[in-house]
Amino acid sequence: MFGRGRPPELNVLVLRDADVIAQDVRQALAEATPEQRPGLERAAALVEQAAAASEAELRARWVHERFAEAGYQGPADSVQAVKTLRDAAPGLSLLSAVQLTRDAAAHRP
């Protein structure tokens, strides 16, 4: 029975490009004028902070963004949260949604 299997599951893939951004900011900092240095130093610190985030934290941020778009403000690990997330990302499996909402509950914004 071709074409009658389960629909493809939506997976959340964490992409990191903070290392490339950090390198660019460090290069700009090396070439900066004294007036530009404070802002670039702050930018470098923010990029380093973003690069230090774990994959679970990034997945949690994604989930909280979906909740905000849907107007959901309840507990992140409730049945309603799972339903809200699956409505926001229709291809998401029940298992994936449960795992993602657990990440979201553990890493609040």
Side-chain angles (χ1 to χ4, degrees):
M1 302 276 181
F2 297 107
R4 294 196 172 210
R6 292 177 31 183
E9 180 179 327
L10 174 68
N11 292 305
V12 178
L13 175 64
V14 176
L15 300 177
R16 292 181 175 264
D17 57 358
D19 56 335
V20 175
I21 296 168
Q23 181 181 1
D24 290 345
V25 172
R26 283 192 296 272
Q27 180 64 37
L29 188 56
E31 301 168 356
T33 65
E35 297 83 26
Q36 295 171 325
R37 288 193 69 76
L40 286 169
E41 287 170 350
R42 176 69 177 135
L46 290 171
V47 170
E48 287 175 17
Q49 180 183 359
S54 69
E55 288 190 16
E57 290 169 319
L58 295 175
R59 287 190 301 267
R61 183 184 317 154
W62 181 84
V63 171
H64 286 291
E65 288 169 358
R66 302 294 81 70
F67 288 164
E69 290 170 4
Y72 179 73
Q73 296 181 353
D77 56 353
S78 68
V79 171
Q80 185 59 44
V82 172
K83 182 180 182 331
T84 300
L85 185 57
R86 290 188 76 202
D87 287 344
L92 197 61
S93 73
L94 178 59
L95 178 60
S96 293
V98 169
Q99 291 171 336
L100 288 166
T101 56
R102 287 179 182 164
D103 282 342
H107 301 282
R108 301 189 191 280

